[in-house]
């Protein structure tokens, strides 16, 4: 029996603009615990040996907030900033895009640029699982900055830690304590996502029958893979597009459509499919997808990557920008 996947399909990409952001952050005056009313998250005056020094609101509803803790002795200081802020829907690439925006903000403050090591992280809670991304940066002043970002359903949860006193083991220890104290998975259940997905198609996807069939097939394959392989308690935190295997199956489905059907095919569609077939036939589809997704994909144990050979292949084979165009978007909404 074929599995029925409930979806809503729309043509055209639709973008929501939130108009409640403050022009300038508002400092909230508070004594005792600060309770973020929208999530009931309590931020005490003292966390471990870190003193809460400020609370800021970035929107008129006080949903988007930042709380900063600090410990300073002589010229040694550690600053911890915790941000909780809402997000309307969980679209593909949401976590990755938000992470890259956060990293760009850090880079904008650095005169010499940044060099970061990054990795995927996850928090398994009692009811929900949240995926996240962590980056660590060091500068020539012996200062370490660590950024952690989780997607939690209709919320983002971000931690930024900067220190010139803690070593790597101590940074890991306080990071663990932060996540235990201000638990991200709890946010997932506050305003739940609906995991019956919407699929939005760009106009370019309907330029000919082959393109439409290929794009629809690849998109539905992603959705089916997610439903079949990822538990709902993780999907409720966001669409799980961090899995390499999902993307591999989707691309294979895209190129399979044309082989099954002989429909009208424009030159631009022909170029698009030929490029994917060339990468597949080279044996470097996994490496290509990792590169395209900034190396931020979960790689199954049975897949071995060879980036050295892939780089050599690229010297003689140009990957055309046509593959960068986005033809569909899967979203979970409230």
């Amino acid at each position: 029996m074929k599995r029925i996947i409930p979806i809503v399909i729309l043509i055209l990409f639709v973008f929501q603009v939130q108009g409640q952001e403050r022009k300038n952050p508002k400092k909230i005056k508070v004594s005792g615990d600060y309770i973020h009313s929208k999530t009931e998250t309590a931020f005490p005056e003292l966390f471990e040996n870190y003193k809460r020094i400020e609370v800021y609101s970035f929107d008129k509803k006080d949903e988007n907030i930042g709380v900063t803790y600090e410990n300073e002795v002589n010229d040694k200081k550690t600053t911890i900033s915790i941000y909780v802020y809402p997000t309307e829907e969980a679209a593909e690439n949401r976590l990755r895009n938000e992470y890259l925006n956060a990293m760009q903000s850090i880079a904008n403050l650095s005169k010499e640029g940044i060099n970061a090591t990054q990795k995927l992280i996850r928090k398994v809670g009692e009811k929900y699982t949240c995926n996240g991304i962590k980056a660590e940066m060091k500068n020539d002043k012996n200062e370490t900055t660590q950024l952690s970002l989780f997607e939690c359903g209709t919320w983002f949860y971000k931690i930024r830690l900067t220190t010139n006193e803690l070593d790597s083991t101590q940074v890991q220890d306080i990071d663990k304590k932060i996540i235990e104290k201000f638990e991200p998975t709890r946010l997932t259940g506050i305003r739940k996502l609906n995991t019956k997905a919407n699929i939005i198609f760009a106009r370019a996807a309907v330029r000919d029958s082959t393109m439409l069939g290929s794009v629809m097939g690849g998109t539905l394959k992603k959705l089916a893979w997610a439903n079949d392989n990822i538990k709902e308690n993780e999907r409720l935190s966001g669409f799980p597009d961090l899995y390499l295997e999902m993307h591999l199956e989707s691309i294979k489905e895209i190129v399979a459509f044309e082989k099954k059907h002989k429909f009208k095919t424009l030159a631009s569609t022909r170029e698009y499919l030929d490029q994917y077939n060339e990468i597949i036939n080279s044996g470097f589809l996994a490496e290509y997808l990792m590169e395209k997704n900034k190396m931020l994909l979960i790689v199954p144990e049975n897949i071995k990557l060879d980036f050295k050979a892939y780089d050599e292949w690229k010297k003689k084979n140009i990957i055309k920008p046509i593959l960068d165009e986005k033809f569909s978007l899967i979203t979970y909404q409230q």
Side-chain angles (χ1 to χ4, degrees):
M1 179 182 294
K2 291 186 177 180
R3 183 167 187 173
I4 299 174
I5 305 171
I7 57 172
V8 176
I9 297 179
L10 303 172
I11 301 297
L12 285 178
F13 288 127
V14 178
F15 299 95
Q16 294 185 336
V17 178
Q18 298 182 20
Q20 298 296 320
E21 297 297 315
R22 296 183 187 275
K23 291 183 179 179
N24 296 299
K26 173 187 174 183
K27 189 170 185 177
I28 299 175
K29 296 180 181 179
V30 61
S31 60
D33 288 0
Y34 168 68
I35 308 296
H36 182 224
S37 61
K38 301 299 180 180
T39 64
E40 298 183 355
T41 304
F43 295 91
E45 288 186 310
L46 192 66
F47 166 65
E48 297 291 319
N49 60 331
Y50 298 91
K51 183 180 179 181
R52 193 186 68 212
I53 60 170
E54 57 189 17
V55 179
Y56 278 100
S57 167
F58 300 95
D59 72 333
K60 295 176 182 179
K61 294 182 179 180
D62 294 337
E63 292 187 332
N64 182 348
I65 58 101
V67 181
T68 300
Y69 290 89
E70 191 171 274
N71 180 47
E72 184 173 10
V73 179
N74 298 324
D75 60 343
K76 298 295 184 180
K77 182 170 72 172
T78 297
T79 303
I80 300 167
S81 295
I82 301 169
Y83 303 90
V84 177
Y85 51 105
T87 172
E88 293 297 323
E89 61 182 18
E92 290 180 82
N93 300 316
R94 177 180 70 159
L95 176 61
R96 190 181 296 105
N97 290 340
E98 187 68 15
Y99 162 76
L100 293 174
N101 287 336
M103 290 293 287
Q104 185 61 56
S105 296
I106 294 174
N108 291 342
L109 298 174
S110 174
K111 294 181 180 179
E112 61 270 3
I114 58 174
N115 184 19
T117 58
Q118 61 183 17
K119 65 178 180 178
L120 296 172
I121 54 177
R122 63 196 281 118
K123 179 66 173 71
V124 179
E126 292 183 4
K127 293 184 178 180
Y128 306 104
T129 295
C130 292
N131 287 308
I133 305 173
K134 178 180 290 186
E136 185 173 290
M137 297 141 275
K138 294 186 178 182
N139 61 25
D140 54 10
K141 298 177 182 179
N142 198 34
E143 185 178 73
T144 297
T145 297
Q146 183 172 279
L147 173 75
S148 300
L149 176 69
F150 291 93
E151 61 174 348
C152 314
T154 56
W155 298 92
F156 277 121
Y157 173 78
K158 181 170 65 177
I159 306 164
R160 182 172 170 180
L161 182 152
T162 302
T163 183
N164 64 357
E165 63 165 335
L166 303 181
D167 60 29
S168 58
T169 300
Q170 291 171 318
V171 168
Q172 291 178 16
D173 180 62
I174 191 61
D175 180 68
K176 182 179 179 181
K177 289 178 179 178
I178 294 168
I179 293 173
E180 288 175 349
K181 175 66 176 178
F182 309 103
E183 223 279 359
T185 66
R186 186 182 61 83
L187 301 176
T188 296
I190 292 173
R191 286 193 307 229
K192 288 186 180 180
L193 290 170
N194 185 346
T195 56
K196 294 181 180 179
N198 293 343
I199 300 180
I200 306 168
F201 291 99
R203 286 195 181 276
V206 299
R207 64 190 178 204
D208 63 47
S209 299
T210 299
M211 191 66 183
L212 180 59
S214 297
V215 170
M216 288 186 69
T219 305
L220 290 173
K221 191 68 175 181
K222 281 185 184 178
L223 189 55
W225 191 95
N227 290 345
D228 289 341
N229 293 277
I230 307 301
K231 293 180 180 179
E232 187 178 36
N233 70 342
E234 181 176 338
R235 288 186 283 119
L236 283 167
S237 290
F239 184 74
D241 67 324
L242 292 177
Y243 292 87
L244 173 59
E245 194 173 356
M246 171 195 287
H247 295 277
L248 289 170
E249 294 302 314
S250 174
I251 301 306
K252 291 175 183 177
E253 192 69 20
I254 285 174
V255 300
F257 180 84
E258 184 194 21
K259 298 173 182 177
K260 299 176 184 177
H261 308 279
K262 300 299 180 182
F263 292 148
K264 178 182 178 181
T265 306
L266 297 177
S268 55
T269 301
R270 174 79 276 134
E271 183 182 26
Y272 176 79
L273 295 173
D274 284 350
Q275 179 70 94
Y276 266 135
N277 277 310
E278 183 179 355
I279 296 172
I280 291 170
N281 292 336
S282 73
F284 294 121
L285 181 59
E287 287 82 357
Y288 163 75
L289 288 170
M290 289 295 294
E291 181 181 59
K292 184 176 182 179
N293 289 280
K294 312 300 182 185
M295 301 297 176
L296 295 171
L297 291 176
I298 299 169
V299 182
E301 292 183 359
N302 64 315
I303 293 180
K304 304 301 179 185
L305 302 170
D306 188 346
F307 288 106
K308 184 177 180 180
Y310 174 58
D311 289 338
E312 288 298 318
W313 178 81
K314 284 194 299 178
K315 291 177 182 179
K316 300 179 181 179
N317 299 272
I318 298 174
I319 298 176
K320 300 174 183 177
I322 193 170
L323 296 187
D324 294 333
E325 189 173 355
K326 187 74 174 174
F327 294 104
S328 68
L329 188 70
I330 299 173
T331 68
Y332 292 157
Q333 298 179 341
Q334 293 183 45

